[in-house]
Amino acid sequence: MMKFRFRRQGADPQREKLKQELFAFHKTVEHGFPNQPSALAFDPELRIMAIGTRSGAVKIYGAPGVEFTGLHRDAATVTQMHFLPGQGRLLTLLDDSSLHLWEVVHHNGCAHLEEALHHQPPSRPGFDGASGLPSLARITVVLLVAAGDLAALGTEGGSVFFLDVPTLTLLEGQTLGPDEVLRSVPDDYRCGKALGPVESLQGHLRDPTKILIGYSRGLLVIWNRAARCADRIFLGNQQLESVCWERSGRTLVSSHSDGSYAVWATDAGDSPTTQPTVATTPYGPFPCKAISKILWRNCASGEHFIVFSGGMPRASYGDRHCVSVLQAETLVTLDFTSRVIDFFTVHSTRPEDEFDEPQALAVLLEEELVVLDLQTPGWPAVPAPYLAPLHSSAITCSAHVANVPAKLWARIVSAGEQQNPQPASGASSWPITGGRNLAQEPAQRGLLLTGHEDGTVRFWDASGVALRPLYKLSTAGLFQTDCEHADSLAQAAEDDWPPFRKVGCFDPYSDDPRLGVQKVALCKYTAQMVVAGTAGQVLVLELSDEPSDQAVGVASVDLLQDREGFTWKGHERLSPRTGPLPWPAGFQPRALVQCLPPAAVTAVTLHAEWGLVAFGTSHGFGLFDYLRRSPVLARCTLHPNDSLAMEGPLSRVKSLKKSLRQSFRRIRKSRVSGKKRLTAASSKEANAQLAEQAGPHDVEVTPVQRRIEPRSADDSLSGVVRCLYFADTFLRDAAHHGPTMWAGTNSGSVFAYALEVPAAVANSDRRPERAVEAVLGKEVQLMHRAPVVAVAVLDGRGRPLPEPYEASRDLAQAPDMQGGHAVLIASEEQFKVFTLPKVSAKTKFKLTAHEGCRVRKVALATFASVACEDYAETCLACLTNLGDVHVFSVPGLRPQVHYACIRKEDISGIASCVFTRHGQGFYLISPSEFERFSLSARNITEPLCSLDISWPRDAMRASYRPQESPKLSQANGTPGVVLGPQSRSGSPDPTRSEGTDTPELPEATLSPTSVDSATSADTTLDTTGDVTVEDVKDFLGSSEESEKNLRNLSEDEARACPILIG
């Protein structure tokens, strides 16, 4: 009998089948703006746009929800991209001169992007003995001619090669060398000088046999491919940067390195032409920077558009990033805050049309995409439905709100529309509208809130694939800063020439770092929210549909409680403005709570039904009644040795050195005491016994668990409040339940307060004169002193308590208040469930395996089954410092599945992760991009779209496609070989299509290996989430420490039971 009891059986087939129906790991879509863009392309027929990046990513965008993503095998910079018009194919050139042909391929009605062919030309000039073809030097420019079947390749050596695009093979006998061109040039122009690299290749819209070639030296040649001769030659003397051929073919415009551009007539005079008809330096006469690209677009009105980048006066404005738009006598200098990568116009490309009639101008910048409406007077910017720069100011925190009520959603959208009113003409519309979004309308609306360094909170529509900006809340207007004075001085110093116009929203500079948002909380039923900042400011706001003028009440809460011996050495508090202040429609402040000392807020929570907000810093926590505008509670959590908490963020170098020093001391201490400790074998026996106690369904047990090393009570920053939580539960006795507040600290302490909350007067926002009272009910000290990450109360059925107003408004199932409640306390090193009100240990799980992982983020999420719509389980999802995601059952704390999600070196990505209530999550893979992932087999948000493409050569497409090999998936780390909405097998995701019998391995034993993020590998975020000293120590720590700690096992440390103090 005992033998059967301790024998570990294999996985329970029924449970494994249920796991497959509940859990599945997918990295689905990347939200935001591509990191480090390097190339741009636009297909005017399909109305789709492509962006290439320095990490080799290719992203194609159409209408909102239409997205395709691919990644080159080599992490090389994409330098040029060209669509084959109307075919859904894209030719890319990398900085290693390799060419790649991408195709949008349809499977079962859904499209995805895959690489069909690639060509790597020989790297050295000369002749390739194997093929007899001249090898290419570095390719400088690519031109697609003859409807995309032929490509002309300009090189650094001045030659032009021709490539058959469907097969990506060079054509013999058609190479145009610089010597052949020089024969048509007058002798006095040659004078022993080389033509230089090919800077530009342009095709004729109506005659595909003619190509305009521009050489770096300034020579322009219209080359006739059919006759293999030069039709016309233009002898330019300035170094060439760019050339544009006017639609009719009668005019050329060239831009040069001295900031000038010249207009040449192709049908006047004899060839060669020595003088342009017009030559001007628009921002002269002083030396100017080069005009790197120029476009000419004609209009029926005769007022043509000339659009060019660069050309600014070198001495005065050489550091500006500008694109100039000139039409007749109107010149506008678009001034951006980041470098210009490329730009294009949306205009008519049908050969039968006589004029371009540009509709919009799209400018790709290093940090954002800006689209201007050229048909509306004033050329206003068009709001982008996606590709908004998440990092317009550095992201400091994020939160997700699920199942947003329709009324609140409409009010937030309305407030956002009032912030960005559209022109009355209604002509402004997003011009990139290609493809069809096949995804169903989301069943529920999800909000993603991001807090930023400049004191703003941005609201994003995270319901679907396209992350759409809805509304921006700014808190800086409540405080006195120097930004207005500086702006007025800057505007006064600006001259009328050049006619600068600030465009774009990317602004990485914060006027005051104290404005930075650290925590946000939103009540979706009352439209109230809390925003907490870096200088200890806690703002309570409420959504209003109308603008108002009102004063904001300020209350101060001293968290030190007059404790002696502590002196704050950090930044000063922000000074609030006095008197009535104008507030636009949207979230308007109702109360301001100032924590003293003004340290950064580390935790915040809101209970709108009770009218209470709780907040915590590195010094303690407080409770505030915002209905009566009065503080309720202040508790200091500082340890007598916690002097580091008084130094503020400016002493991070000291704190890092001190923490590293203490880490090494602990390592040495563990080595000395190792002789007195138990062996690893006894640890395995203890873990086996713990595993048996978990029950027969505990099918996955970590083979080795490291005994938790106790932390010193005088560790630095031990008083930091990590989590706060409100719950209606049993704390005083088992017969009476009531409001409670829970606080967890960095030293493993949990404080539970019983609250007396008087009922509010009916139909009134004010409560009776009797104040809210808080009495300490329980105080728990975890023996291992690990930081408490989260606290949650479970009802009699083992389910989390509903949010405020959910039960009272019948929006969620009422909690079971008859059975015994329990509290789940999640620390960085273990999870533990205690019964209430006695607070006795019930269940625990130590997540300290031989890797030595620590918990970084936890959340309770509901996982719905794909097989049965009515079945769902509530589980605990956690992210560790190694980047792994684990899912545990609640309240049994049995391991269900685990996946490798984030690279363990990506500290900022781990710190920025946020889970949703339905088994999804977000984390930053770059300063400007969120990666979205799903742990749920049913709740998946991914691109499902199609393109209406026309293939002129279906037979050739099939015959030249090579054997498919595993492809890298998403540009920044999506695992497997999935591209777009495809699965590893190449068919659509089995959870999304009925009738597919794709076998899946049990997720309990499957840990997908993720492709390392091509973007985040070389990226350091400015500020994302709570990057703590422990994160840095995890990153710097070696595996030797884990091995040493594994050997030094102690029996007394196994009993990590809480000490009940109160």
Side-chain angles (χ1 to χ4, degrees):
M1 190 70 180
M2 293 298 294
K3 182 178 180 181
F4 174 79
R5 174 182 172 86
F6 285 97
R7 185 175 59 189
R8 303 305 296 159
Q9 297 291 337
D12 181 5
Q14 293 294 332
R15 183 59 191 172
E16 292 304 314
K17 182 176 183 296
L18 189 57
K19 285 182 182 179
Q20 295 184 38
E21 296 171 355
L22 291 173
F23 312 110
F25 181 71
H26 303 276
K27 290 187 179 179
T28 54
V29 67
E30 294 166 4
H31 295 302
F33 184 77
N35 188 47
Q36 297 179 326
S38 57
L40 179 68
F42 179 68
D43 186 339
E45 294 188 21
L46 294 180
R47 293 281 210 168
I48 55 177
M49 174 186 67
I51 295 178
T53 70
R54 291 174 59 184
S55 61
V58 176
K59 301 194 175 189
I60 297 178
Y61 301 92
V66 178
E67 294 186 15
F68 307 97
T69 304
L71 181 66
H72 290 90
R73 296 175 184 271
D74 299 325
T77 300
V78 181
T79 57
Q80 292 186 45
M81 310 173 76
H82 301 273
F83 274 108
L84 280 64
Q87 300 180 26
R89 294 194 288 181
L90 180 71
L91 185 66
T92 61
L93 172 68
L94 305 185
D95 60 355
D96 60 359
S97 290
S98 62
L99 293 162
H100 303 258
L101 184 63
W102 296 81
E103 298 177 354
V104 175
V105 183
H106 287 75
H107 284 300
N108 295 338
C110 295
H112 72 282
L113 181 67
E114 65 180 38
E115 182 179 352
L117 296 169
H118 70 274
H119 173 73
Q120 180 69 55
S123 58
R124 294 183 178 179
F127 287 88
D128 186 355
S131 62
L133 291 172
S135 62
L136 277 67
R138 189 177 70 88
I139 299 175
T140 56
V141 64
V142 177
L143 170 68
L144 293 177
V145 293
D149 289 338
L150 189 70
L153 311 177
T155 66
E156 202 170 33
S159 300
V160 178
F161 295 83
F162 291 92
L163 184 81
D164 181 63
V165 174
T167 61
L168 286 191
T169 55
L170 292 174
L171 300 179
E172 300 184 38
Q174 297 195 26
T175 303
L176 174 61
D179 295 338
E180 192 171 356
V181 174
L182 282 172
R183 298 192 191 105
S184 305
V185 175
D187 294 339
D188 58 345
Y189 189 82
R190 299 180 200 173
C191 61
K193 293 182 180 180
L195 296 179
V198 178
E199 290 290 343
S200 182
L201 292 173
Q202 296 289 322
H204 196 288
L205 186 62
R206 296 186 174 88
D207 189 353
T209 63
K210 294 182 179 180
I211 296 178
L212 172 62
I213 307 172
Y215 294 93
S216 177
R217 183 178 166 186
L219 179 68
L220 302 177
V221 177
I222 298 179
W223 185 261
N224 191 320
R225 286 193 304 112
R228 291 195 62 83
C229 66
D231 283 359
R232 293 195 65 85
I233 292 179
F234 306 90
L235 304 179
N237 293 317
Q238 289 293 337
Q239 181 177 338
L240 185 71
E241 293 289 333
S242 174
V243 176
C244 182
W245 205 336
E246 186 261 339
R247 186 183 188 92
S248 65
R250 295 190 294 268
T251 305
L252 306 176
V253 59
S254 61
S255 65
H256 303 276
S257 61
D258 63 347
S260 65
Y261 68 86
V263 180
W264 308 78
T266 62
D267 55 356
D270 299 327
S271 181
T273 301
T274 58
Q275 294 295 329
T277 56
V278 176
T280 181
T281 304
Y283 296 108
F286 299 106
C288 297
K289 300 192 73 172
I291 296 179
S292 56
K293 180 176 180 178
I294 192 165
L295 297 178
W296 177 296
R297 300 289 181 250
N298 58 14
C299 302
S301 62
E303 297 181 343
H304 309 309
F305 280 91
I306 296 179
V307 186
F308 60 89
S309 59
M312 302 306 298
R314 187 176 296 273
S316 303
Y317 304 106
D319 58 342
R320 297 289 185 99
H321 310 289
C322 298
V323 170
S324 302
V325 182
L326 175 64
Q327 185 186 28
E329 300 300 323
T330 303
L331 173 64
V332 174
T333 308
L334 305 175
D335 187 12
F336 303 102
T337 54
S338 59
R339 185 169 58 92
V340 178
I341 304 297
D342 202 354
F343 58 91
F344 64 84
T345 59
V346 179
H347 61 277
S348 171
T349 57
R350 293 178 297 181
E352 60 269 19
D353 290 342
E354 185 177 355
F355 300 100
D356 295 312
E357 298 294 348
Q359 305 164 18
L361 169 66
V363 183
L364 176 66
L365 308 162
E366 196 167 37
E367 306 293 352
E368 61 183 321
L369 177 76
V370 176
V371 176
L372 299 181
D373 181 11
L374 298 181
Q375 293 183 325
T376 302
W379 303 334
V382 180
Y386 51 83
L387 283 177
L390 300 173
H391 63 317
S392 52
S393 177
I395 296 177
T396 52
C397 68
S398 55
H400 184 269
V401 182
N403 299 327
V404 179
K407 183 178 180 181
L408 174 62
W409 188 271
R411 295 177 66 190
I412 293 175
V413 171
S414 174
E417 290 174 349
Q418 294 182 52
Q419 287 182 333
N420 301 293
Q422 296 304 308
S425 62
S428 297
S429 61
W430 187 249
I432 304 161
T433 58
R436 295 195 310 274
N437 182 14
L438 303 180
Q440 297 180 352
E441 279 293 317
Q444 55 92 16
R445 297 289 184 182
L447 271 179
L448 181 65
L449 310 180
T450 55
H452 297 264
E453 195 177 36
D454 61 354
T456 59
V457 177
R458 286 172 167 81
F459 291 62
W460 308 89
D461 178 4
S463 310
V465 172
L467 192 68
R468 183 168 62 99
L470 297 179
Y471 167 73
K472 182 178 77 170
L473 163 67
S474 178
T475 62
L478 183 59
F479 303 100
Q480 296 178 4
T481 59
D482 298 331
C483 58
E484 296 88 354
H485 181 63
D487 290 344
S488 62
L489 290 178
Q491 292 175 1
E494 292 274 345
D495 296 329
D496 294 336
W497 182 260
F500 287 118
R501 174 183 159 192
K502 290 284 186 182
V503 182
C505 61
F506 177 71
D507 183 12
Y509 306 108
S510 174
D511 298 313
D512 194 327
R514 296 175 296 174
L515 292 171
V517 176
Q518 295 297 322
K519 298 292 176 182
V520 293
L522 172 67
C523 177
K524 58 189 176 184
Y525 301 114
T526 60
Q528 295 174 342
M529 73 177 300
V530 176
V531 178
T534 305
Q537 69 271 26
V538 179
L539 266 175
V540 181
L541 306 104
E542 188 172 2
L543 183 60
S544 174
D545 299 327
E546 299 294 335
S548 65
D549 292 89
Q550 62 180 2
V552 179
V554 181
S556 297
V557 177
D558 184 10
L559 297 179
L560 288 182
Q561 294 293 289
D562 299 325
R563 185 173 296 193
E564 298 180 356
F566 291 96
T567 304
W568 173 247
K569 304 175 184 177
H571 49 241
E572 297 294 328
R573 58 182 289 182
L574 286 165
S575 300
R577 298 178 186 273
T578 57
L581 299 174
W583 301 105
F587 281 93
Q588 300 172 356
R590 295 291 183 258
L592 169 63
V593 185
Q594 178 62 56
C595 300
L596 296 176
V601 177
T602 56
V604 73
T605 187
L606 170 70
H607 201 294
E609 197 167 0
W610 300 338
L612 298 176
V613 57
F615 46 87
T617 70
S618 56
H619 306 118
F621 56 88
L623 183 63
F624 185 77
D625 179 356
Y626 60 83
L627 294 182
R628 299 183 74 249
R629 308 289 200 276
S630 63
V632 176
L633 168 70
R635 171 70 182 255
C636 181
T637 57
L638 282 178
H639 189 272
N641 296 332
D642 221 350
S643 59
L644 192 61
M646 307 305 296
E647 296 181 0
L650 301 180
S651 302
R652 291 298 167 87
V653 177
K654 290 183 181 180
S655 64
L656 180 60
K657 289 181 180 179
K658 184 174 180 180
S659 60
L660 291 176
R661 190 183 309 118
Q662 291 176 345
S663 298
F664 284 117
R665 287 175 181 171
R666 282 199 295 266
I667 294 173
R668 286 196 296 269
K669 187 185 301 182
S670 64
R671 288 173 179 171
V672 172
S673 59
K675 299 178 182 180
K676 302 179 182 179
R677 304 203 175 190
L678 297 177
T679 61
S682 62
S683 171
K684 293 182 179 180
E685 292 180 5
N687 280 314
Q689 294 175 0
L690 287 174
E692 289 301 324
Q693 296 172 5
H697 297 290
D698 188 8
V699 299
E700 181 179 336
V701 176
T702 308
V704 179
Q705 286 188 336
R706 176 175 63 85
R707 294 299 184 186
I708 301 170
E709 179 183 349
R711 305 191 180 203
S712 173
D714 61 351
D715 272 358
S716 297
L717 300 177
S718 62
V720 175
V721 178
R722 294 290 295 271
C723 62
L724 292 163
Y725 177 70
F726 286 117
D728 184 358
T729 186
F730 302 89
L731 187 62
R732 293 176 175 175
D733 55 61
H736 303 89
H737 63 87
T740 62
M741 185 194 74
W742 302 72
T745 71
N746 227 25
S747 60
S749 299
V750 178
F751 304 92
Y753 282 83
L755 307 178
E756 289 288 344
V757 182
V761 179
N763 301 323
S764 173
D765 291 337
R766 298 187 61 84
R767 67 170 86 254
E769 292 300 324
R770 192 159 63 92
V772 177
E773 297 179 1
V775 179
L776 180 63
K778 293 289 189 296
E779 185 173 339
V780 180
Q781 175 63 61
L782 302 180
M783 181 174 287
H784 58 282
R785 298 185 179 277
V788 179
V789 180
V791 176
V793 172
L794 310 176
D795 67 3
R797 292 185 293 263
R799 298 175 181 173
L801 298 182
E803 294 184 9
Y805 284 110
E806 276 190 336
S808 61
R809 298 186 180 183
D810 295 329
L811 300 171
Q813 185 178 2
D816 181 5
M817 307 303 289
Q818 303 300 324
H821 283 199
V823 59
L824 169 62
I825 298 178
S827 73
E828 283 192 357
E829 296 177 348
Q830 72 176 15
F831 307 125
K832 203 158 189 176
V833 175
F834 299 91
T835 61
L836 289 176
K838 292 184 178 181
V839 194
S840 58
K842 182 179 180 182
T843 313
K844 68 179 176 181
F845 185 89
K846 300 178 183 178
L847 195 67
T848 50
H850 59 277
E851 297 92 352
C853 62
R854 295 187 179 92
V855 177
R856 286 289 172 258
K857 303 284 182 176
V858 295
L860 289 167
T862 301
F863 293 87
S865 171
V866 294
C868 179
E869 293 186 2
D870 298 332
Y871 183 78
E873 290 186 7
T874 299
C875 297
L876 178 69
C878 85
L879 174 71
T880 71
N881 63 326
L882 301 181
D884 299 332
V885 176
H886 299 253
V887 179
F888 299 89
S889 64
V890 173
L893 297 182
R894 300 187 183 99
Q896 302 300 304
V897 290
H898 69 274
Y899 309 101
C901 181
I902 310 175
R903 294 180 304 109
K904 64 180 180 180
E905 298 85 4
D906 188 4
I907 300 175
S908 297
I910 294 173
S912 64
C913 181
V914 57
F915 290 105
T916 74
R917 290 184 61 184
H918 299 288
Q920 296 194 38
F922 303 83
Y923 69 92
L924 286 171
I925 51 177
S926 74
S928 59
E929 288 175 291
F930 271 111
E931 175 80 78
R932 188 178 192 139
F933 64 90
S934 175
L935 304 173
S936 171
R938 181 174 171 181
N939 187 21
I940 302 174
T941 302
E942 61 183 0
L944 294 173
C945 48
S946 66
L947 275 180
D948 296 327
I949 56 179
S950 59
W951 281 84
R953 300 185 181 185
D954 282 339
M956 181 171 293
R957 169 194 174 194
S959 62
Y960 283 108
R961 174 168 296 176
Q963 182 179 1
E964 291 190 9
S965 58
K967 296 172 285 294
L968 294 178
S969 179
Q970 299 279 59
N972 294 320
T974 303
V977 295
V978 186
L979 277 168
Q982 299 297 308
S983 68
R984 286 181 173 83
S985 62
S987 62
D989 191 283
T991 64
R992 306 297 287 241
S993 301
E994 298 180 1
T996 56
D997 295 323
T998 307
E1000 280 188 297
L1001 295 175
E1003 281 81 353
T1005 59
L1006 176 64
S1007 294
T1009 56
S1010 63
V1011 180
D1012 282 348
S1013 169
T1015 300
S1016 60
D1018 301 320
T1019 302
T1020 302
L1021 300 188
D1022 296 331
T1023 75
T1024 50
D1026 303 323
V1027 181
T1028 64
V1029 174
E1030 292 295 331
D1031 297 322
V1032 180
K1033 288 194 287 188
D1034 295 336
F1035 179 62
L1036 297 177
S1038 65
S1039 60
E1040 295 181 3
E1041 180 182 355
S1042 298
E1043 295 175 0
K1044 294 291 186 183
N1045 291 327
L1046 183 62
R1047 299 190 190 102
N1048 301 331
L1049 299 165
S1050 172
E1051 185 177 14
D1052 57 347
E1053 292 169 5
R1055 297 188 299 271
C1057 298
I1059 303 173
L1060 301 184
I1061 301 175

